[in-house]
Amino acid sequence: MTWWTNDVDRKEEVWYFNFPGVPEPFQLRRERADENRVVWVNVGVFPPHWAGTTISWDLTPTPAGTRVAFAHSGFPEGEAEDPMISETWGLLMTRLKEYAESGTPNPFFTV
């Protein structure tokens, strides 16, 4: 998780992601994590527009490496922050790729 933030705690299957200037951690429960798919569900109430959303990565082997299909779904219809969320996840996927290739964490957010 150190590609996203440098402040992460875990209690069983729930991960607590802390970010600078944010009043409480994002709470994501790991629903699945295997060689084909990783799924997190937001089980916290913060941020409010993330409540109940699902974040997933589908992993497919290819001759060149692994294809990663990312989705963050379950937002209320017409969510006003969709463009900001999409842009941030795009930047985060670059950090995740760099981390996977180098093994060196470079978190997007530092607390």
Side-chain angles (χ1 to χ4, degrees):
M1 310 315 169
T2 55
W3 51 270
W4 191 10
T5 178
N6 68 333
D7 189 355
V8 180
D9 293 312
R10 178 180 175 193
K11 293 179 187 165
E12 297 181 13
E13 295 303 317
V14 177
W15 296 78
Y16 297 82
F17 297 86
N18 292 293
F19 301 98
V22 175
E24 61 183 89
F26 291 26
Q27 296 178 38
L28 302 172
R29 183 179 59 232
R30 182 176 63 180
E31 293 289 311
R32 179 176 172 179
D34 57 45
E35 70 261 5
N36 299 314
R37 191 156 209 249
V38 175
V39 178
W40 296 343
V41 174
N42 186 323
V43 295
V45 295
F46 190 84
H49 59 284
W50 276 39
T53 61
T54 301
I55 300 166
S56 63
W57 292 264
D58 289 300
L59 311 169
T60 307
T62 71
T66 302
R67 179 180 178 271
V68 178
F70 171 80
H72 189 172
S73 58
F75 288 97
E77 188 68 32
E79 173 59 52
E81 296 193 47
D82 279 350
M84 182 190 74
I85 293 166
S86 296
E87 179 182 355
T88 302
W89 275 119
L91 295 168
L92 289 168
M93 292 303 101
T94 299
R95 297 292 175 111
L96 177 57
K97 178 182 181 288
E98 291 168 357
Y99 181 46
E101 291 173 345
S102 71
T104 303
N106 183 18
F108 189 78
F109 298 101
T110 56
V111 178

